[in-house]
Amino acid sequence: MSDIPISHILFVSTALFFIGMYGLFTRRNMITMLMAIELILNSVNINFVVFNKYLYPDKLDGIFFTIFIVTIAAAEAAVAIAIIINLYRSHKSIDVEDATDMKY
Amino acid sequence: MNLILLSAIWGVVMMFSGLFLNSKSAAKTVALVGAVALLIGNLFDLSGKMIINSDFKGMLHYERFGLLFLTVLILALLIYILLSGKDVEAVGKHSFEYFALIFFVMSGAGLVALFNNLLILFIGIEIVSIPLYILTGSDKRNLKGNEAALKYFLMGSFSTGILLMGIAFLYGAAGSFQVERLAAITSDNFTAFTTVGIVMVMVALAFKVSAAPFHFWTPDVYDGAPTVFTSFMATIVKAAIFIGFLNLFTNAFAGKADTWKLTVAVITALTLFIGNITAVYQQSVKRMLAYSSIAQAGFMLFAVFAVNDLSKQGLLLYAAAYCFATIGIFAVLVKMKDYTFEGFNGLAKRQPLVAFVLTVCFLSLAGIPLTAGFFAKYYVLAAAVKTGTYLWLVIFAVLMAAVSVYYYFRVIQAMYFKDGEAQELEITAPFKALLVVVAAVVVVLGVYPSLLTNMLFFF
């Protein structure tokens, strides 16, 4: 385990975080945006596990935190999909560009 | 702990009573019983008698300030249910579920107010947010409501991602989620991890309290959501997240205040500027109140900026003044059909009492003396002056408060000095009596603010 330096893993998680952010800002399909949010949350999960494993291996705080994140992400996804289905019923599309009834 | 437990339990009770009670109008009564139970439970909390007397290995922190703040929030909830309960029932056919979600939000607010561990802060903020996504989209046939729910969800979960990333970095620096541990590392060995962590957490919380430049979701969401739930979101929820913000910065990050002071000052100035200036140009009172809630968030940010003993009193008083006045205004606004300024024309002739109460509430929001809003603004600004730096920010805030008078007085002017066909409002006598109670609370707190702030020290 120790032959992979921590910086490599942190690089992966940071890259995932920004890929997620890029996806959230460029994609117009709601399901893809939901996937982008999941990417962001999972990059955070990697961070927690890595810090726990490499820096503070005597306790399990970080790993427990990831369990909470996974649970809450699931709850969020359920609500998000309900909202998307509701929008699909009224707009017949899951493109966010179609949901612009309000003026800025 | 009583509050967190009772509100979570009462949320479930609400859902089941929706199943077993057939009459739709029972929802308000059941919710009212729940709110009173929360209030009693919270008073027991304050006197130290709890159902489960444990701080869960230091994860919760029963501070007098947090408990007292929750008391204010529960009183606001009580007034909210009494004033707008019938309108909550009218949103859709799932009236029990709306109240259930409101109780779940209160449970999250309890966690946010009493956290002593970043895990609890995160869970609390999520418990507050997720029911709100549903409440925003609860009017399923309303296209604007659906769109608002989507926007709220996207922005909310994005800011959750940022909050979590910040917590991950703080964990990397401190090795623990305990607030005491964070306070130790922020004052002793300060690393890049800590800076990145603090900035990310700050940005995420600024998103949640709709501070500029992270405010852009607010007007659309507040405008699109059913008006009763806008009232709830703009008052109780916003105040609840603010206490988490203040507690985190006071207990964990105060040791290195000079590193984040400037950032918070810039966020505060931008929030005041954008909130107040944009509110001037609104045609709809509901949207104006959304921008005004951004502007009021700017004033509450002064408490976070100052992090001293005055800021606690200031935030407590501000939350009370803002919540009661805004709930009163929204309770009348819900009953109107026309949300534009013209809709208020001639209201004083037809409903003199309602117009008077609205005037008191708007004066309080603008911060005119003899109303609670004046001392609330005074305390938060005095807290900022006490730090001795950034005096320009305080002067700027006073100027912006003067700007806010313009758009609040537009409504008062429409009610009293413009002629027009006032709308027919369905207003009952108990509703009027409650409005008078709201106005009385606002005025009493404006004359004797120490009634509330002294409770921080003795009971």
Side-chain angles (χ1 to χ4, degrees), chain B residues 153-399:
Chain B
F153 167 75
L154 288 176
M155 285 300 122
S157 47
F158 177 59
S159 67
T160 301
I162 296 177
L163 175 76
L164 284 173
M165 205 57 172
I167 293 177
F169 278 117
L170 288 174
Y171 173 65
S176 163
F177 299 113
Q178 285 299 116
V179 164
E180 297 87 20
R181 190 76 195 94
L182 287 175
I185 57 128
T186 41
S187 47
D188 300 340
N189 77 42
F190 205 69
T191 57
F193 270 10
T194 336
T195 320
V196 175
I198 291 179
V199 169
M200 285 184 124
V201 170
M202 190 197 297
V203 167
L205 288 173
F207 251 112
K208 296 283 183 195
V209 299
S210 69
F214 316 106
H215 67 286
F216 38 80
W217 57 271
T218 319
D220 283 351
V221 170
Y222 284 12
D223 198 9
T227 313
V228 259
F229 297 137
T230 310
S231 167
F232 183 67
M233 277 193 276
T235 54
I236 297 172
V237 171
K238 182 173 278 200
I241 294 181
F242 253 109
I243 186 188
F245 206 160
L246 179 66
N247 270 349
L248 183 65
F249 275 65
T250 316
N251 298 337
F253 303 150
K256 266 289 181 191
D258 48 326
T259 49
W260 50 263
K261 272 257 151 101
L262 182 66
T263 323
V264 175
V266 170
I267 290 178
T268 310
L270 266 177
T271 309
L272 285 170
F273 183 76
I274 293 177
N276 280 307
I277 299 296
T278 328
V280 168
Y281 295 103
Q282 299 308 314
Q283 294 310 315
S284 146
V285 174
K286 192 178 174 187
R287 219 172 160 81
M288 181 275 274
L289 283 170
Y291 279 104
S292 122
S293 90
I294 298 176
Q296 305 282 343
F299 279 100
M300 285 193 254
L301 272 173
F302 269 99
V304 179
F305 167 77
V307 288
N308 52 29
D309 50 337
L310 262 181
S311 69
K312 285 191 175 176
Q313 302 177 25
L315 190 68
L316 185 66
L317 197 57
Y318 211 108
Y322 171 68
C323 284
F324 283 110
T326 313
I327 285 174
I329 295 169
F330 268 111
V332 177
L333 189 69
V334 173
K335 305 213 178 277
M336 298 195 136
K337 287 175 193 69
D338 181 7
Y339 284 167
T340 58
F341 282 95
E342 284 74 39
F344 282 83
N345 283 356
L347 190 72
K349 288 213 181 66
R350 193 179 280 255
Q351 298 279 0
L353 185 75
V354 174
F356 173 72
V357 173
L358 280 183
T359 309
V360 172
C361 290
F362 275 116
L363 290 179
S364 172
L365 285 183
I368 305 294
L370 284 184
T371 57
F374 171 73
F375 271 111
K377 281 196 172 60
Y378 171 79
Y379 271 95
V380 286
L381 293 182
V385 169
K386 208 179 170 191
T387 62
T389 46
Y390 297 99
L391 212 57
W392 56 270
L393 193 61
V394 177
I395 297 169
F396 184 71
V398 174
L399 283 178

Side-chain angles (χ1 to χ4, degrees), chain B residues 21-75:
Chain B
L21 297 176
N22 286 323
S23 95
K24 205 178 133 186
S25 55
K28 183 184 169 185
T29 321
V30 181
L32 211 53
V33 174
V36 172
L38 289 195
L39 186 63
I40 295 168
N42 189 258
L43 292 179
F44 275 113
D45 264 348
L46 265 170
S47 57
K49 294 188 190 71
M50 299 182 196
I51 303 172
I52 299 177
N53 201 350
S54 158
D55 62 353
F56 295 92
K57 295 196 184 289
M59 281 174 132
L60 290 173
H61 173 53
Y62 302 112
E63 206 188 2
R64 183 158 199 95
F65 171 55
L67 292 173
L68 199 57
F69 200 90
L70 285 174
T71 316
V72 170
L73 292 190
I74 295 168
L75 285 174

Side-chain angles (χ1 to χ4, degrees), chain B residues 113-184:
Chain B
L114 301 174
F115 79 96
N116 197 33
N117 186 306
L118 291 182
L119 176 63
I120 301 292
L121 175 71
F122 162 65
I123 293 175
I125 286 185
E126 282 308 291
I127 295 179
V128 167
S129 304
I130 293 177
L132 283 184
Y133 305 148
I134 308 172
L135 286 180
T136 310
S138 55
D139 190 1
K140 285 198 278 185
R141 283 176 222 295
N142 185 350
L143 293 185
K144 275 172 90 179
N146 288 342
E147 187 193 332
L150 178 76
K151 278 183 181 161
Y152 198 15
F153 167 75
L154 288 176
M155 285 300 122
S157 47
F158 177 59
S159 67
T160 301
I162 296 177
L163 175 76
L164 284 173
M165 205 57 172
I167 293 177
F169 278 117
L170 288 174
Y171 173 65
S176 163
F177 299 113
Q178 285 299 116
V179 164
E180 297 87 20
R181 190 76 195 94
L182 287 175

